[in-house]
Amino acid sequence: MTAPTAPDRLLSVLAAFDHEHPALCLTDISRRAGLSLTTAHRLVGALTEWGALERDELGVYHVGLRLWELAALAPRGLALRQIALPYLEDLYEATHENVQLAVRDGRDVVYIEWLSGRSAVGVHIRVGARWPLHATGVGLALLAHGDPVFQKEYCAGELVSFTPYTITGPERLRRVLAEVRRSGVAVSDRQVTEDALSVAAPVRGADGTVTAAVSIVVPHADAQVAVLGPAVRVAARGISRALGWRP
């Protein structure tokens, strides 16, 4: 096995942080990164000096604002969010339910915006959260319009289950993806939690390629897909046009 390079070790320090571990002491960083305490101390010091990490008064480290500044330059991150936000706000005002915007990263969907009301159904979503493509509405919309070779590989891989309703069979997933392409919307019914249903639609870039997806999440018991579908499609089409897409 090839020994980790200096960039590998540096990235392993940053990868030690996630949504479950947003604050870490040096010992925790060393353990989670698989580095000696001495090496971790040296790398953490360099990252803190540069601004990638910040150290609080208790000696605990957090992700620094310098990384947020860099993330703002990502075309599929804050730049896309800024363009999409007016349409997401319109969708929220029309429904007062959870509204989400997401992009694909590998086999996962990554949420880059989320609007929620006080009385909206609770969801296990936050900006930056990841979920497998097959288990969410936005993920199904992205997967259905993705590269056919990737779709085939995804369907043949492990389909993680979260509830009894999560899609876990490749044949069923293929049928669902075909229906998404036919109808223009993706419906994920109680796949992540047993009380929620999401309806999503694809967002296209200037070249017509699906680059993101927008969704609304509502209580399963009150879901009216026939009403929600057109509203989500209108929002997705508006974002697509703002990105330069012309049908």
Side-chain angles (χ1 to χ4, degrees):
M1 181 180 294
T2 305
T5 63
D8 290 335
R9 291 192 291 270
L10 199 65
L11 291 173
S12 71
V13 171
L14 295 177
F17 294 85
D18 57 27
H19 283 290
E20 283 68 45
H21 305 87
L24 297 169
C25 67
L26 184 61
T27 302
D28 290 334
I29 294 173
S30 171
R31 175 179 54 80
R32 288 178 55 79
L35 301 172
S36 69
L37 196 57
T38 301
T39 300
H41 181 270
R42 176 171 54 83
L43 295 176
V44 166
L47 288 168
T48 302
E49 184 177 355
W50 186 75
L53 296 178
E54 296 176 356
R55 185 174 184 268
D56 65 22
E57 65 276 5
L58 299 177
V60 175
Y61 292 90
H62 308 259
V63 173
L65 285 177
R66 189 72 179 271
L67 290 183
W68 178 260
E69 292 175 20
L70 287 177
L73 302 176
R76 293 198 305 153
L78 293 180
L80 173 59
R81 170 193 172 275
Q82 194 170 28
I83 292 172
L85 193 56
Y87 302 93
L88 302 178
E89 290 174 338
D90 286 346
L91 183 57
Y92 171 77
E93 288 299 328
T95 63
H96 290 284
E97 301 287 358
N98 291 297
V99 173
Q100 304 164 341
L101 180 70
V103 296
R104 181 174 78 85
D105 186 30
R107 294 177 59 87
D108 296 332
V109 59
V110 178
Y111 292 86
I112 62 175
E113 185 55 278
W114 168 45
L115 304 179
S116 178
R118 293 180 181 177
S119 60
V121 63
V123 294
H124 299 291
I125 298 299
R126 63 175 69 88
V127 173
R130 288 176 174 267
W131 284 89
L133 290 167
H134 67 279
T136 65
V138 284
L140 289 172
L142 289 163
L143 184 58
H145 295 280
D147 177 68
V149 174
F150 175 74
Q151 286 183 34
K152 183 177 180 180
E153 293 174 351
Y154 190 97
C155 291
E158 180 183 8
L159 302 178
V160 181
S161 178
F162 301 98
T163 75
Y165 303 97
T166 307
I167 300 171
T168 56
E171 289 302 323
R172 182 186 170 201
L173 179 55
R174 292 189 189 98
R175 290 195 300 270
V176 169
L177 296 179
E179 176 59 21
V180 172
R181 289 188 291 271
R182 186 199 67 79
S183 66
V185 295
V187 178
S188 178
D189 187 5
R190 296 169 290 174
Q191 288 211 82
V192 175
T193 63
E194 294 189 42
D195 62 344
L197 176 145
S198 68
V199 180
V203 172
R204 298 182 183 275
D207 63 355
T209 302
V210 172
T211 59
V214 60
S215 72
I216 183 168
V217 182
V218 300
H220 163 77
D222 302 328
Q224 300 181 46
V225 176
V227 175
L228 298 174
V232 174
R233 282 200 301 268
V234 167
R237 182 174 287 261
I239 299 170
S240 299
R241 287 183 176 275
L243 290 173
W245 176 66
R246 296 295 179 266

